[in-house]
Amino acid sequence: MSTALVLSGGGARAAYQVGVLRRIAEISAKKSPKCPFDILCGASAGAVNAAAIASRFYDFHLAVQGLDRIWANMLVHHIYRTDVVSFIRITSAWASDLGLGAIIGAGKVKSLLDTTPLQLLVKKVLTFDIVNEAILNGDLRAIAVTATSYSTGKAVTFVHGVEGLKPWSRVRRIGILQPINVEHVLASSAIPLLFPAIKVGNEYYGDGSIRFHTPLSPAARLGAKKIIAVGVRHSKVEVPPDVSIDYNYPPVGQMAAILLNSIFLDNMDADWENLLRVNELLKRGSGAANLAGRGEAGIISGCLISPSEDIGLIAAEYEKRLPLTIRYFLRGLGVGKEEGTDLISYLLFHADYTRTLIDLGYHDACAMDDEIETVLMSS
């Protein structure tokens, strides 16, 4: 019975996943040292974590320990350049494109941030020899990494797995069978506008969460009967706005934060609700379950682990850990007040912040020990 791990995106928020994985590793060690998941699915930063797990498939504890070491010692300059020269070069290119592009031609700027350090880090951490071995042995059924094609606008899930798997095509999302490499992972984690697009084959790709409204779908299509999904959204009770307050016009930073939240935070919870609804329809024997495209997969059990605290508010406490150049840039977007803290949470690759998220993930996973054990220990 195949068991899938599904990891969502969220930039620096993905440190939360490492804490969850640490607890899962402690529980799964009772059964076997190898990875307890034979299907690994990731999008955005979750693709990096999923690929790192696959790279050390036969020693799950060591794989998680490696991720823990990287995220717990993270600094911003490990992910993107923060020096003054890079900052001036990029802002000048943006000014040229926006102000003079119609005259001299646009296209000089690729992103707001230079992520050369991230590319070097990922290439150093990920190796796919063990991935290939695990697939050939039949121990790893598939690893799936999702990116967004900038030419077609579709969410493209690249699948490397055992023989017999089939590609798929749905509205605005497709599954392609091909060996996965570092470029696929980098493409999946390329946050739109902030990080540069990555070329895979003949197309350029960006963050896998942009058009990925059903993050659980690849796991289901690859044959998962059990899923542990890790989100990065705090399931807080929504409070209606105070109509007595005359709100100011929203700054660009606040708008950007809402856009990123819509990309990274909402899809996992919505898709999990859909999974539970389909399960209920299948239990009733209703053919309507097939309308969701998962009826052929049958009932899928599992659990969703999400932050018990608001990660955006946590990020606000560590905002001063950002380099001066990045804080200057964010101030220009209107970030720094309460309205813009969510944007900070995606870019704050700093050990003090990421360690806090790792601890939070571990704590939340411990609170769900029974659910995790049910998924991992049942045959």
Side-chain angles (χ1 to χ4, degrees), residues 226-239:
K226 300 179 292 181
I227 295 176
I228 291 182
V230 186
V232 291
R233 177 182 182 271
H234 171 47
S235 300
K236 59 185 176 182
V237 177
E238 298 294 337
V239 179

Side-chain angles (χ1 to χ4, degrees), residues 301-315:
S301 61
C303 60
L304 170 63
I305 304 171
S306 299
S308 58
E309 298 180 28
D310 190 324
I311 290 182
L313 296 180
I314 295 174

Side-chain angles (χ1 to χ4, degrees), residues 8-35:
S8 62
R13 287 174 175 248
Y16 174 84
Q17 299 170 356
V18 178
V20 174
L21 290 170
R22 193 168 71 187
R23 183 54 183 162
I24 292 176
E26 292 174 352
I27 295 173
S28 67
K30 304 173 185 177
K31 188 174 183 180
S32 171
K34 75 175 184 180
C35 180

Side-chain angles (χ1 to χ4, degrees), residues 99-106:
L100 301 173
I103 300 173
I104 64 176

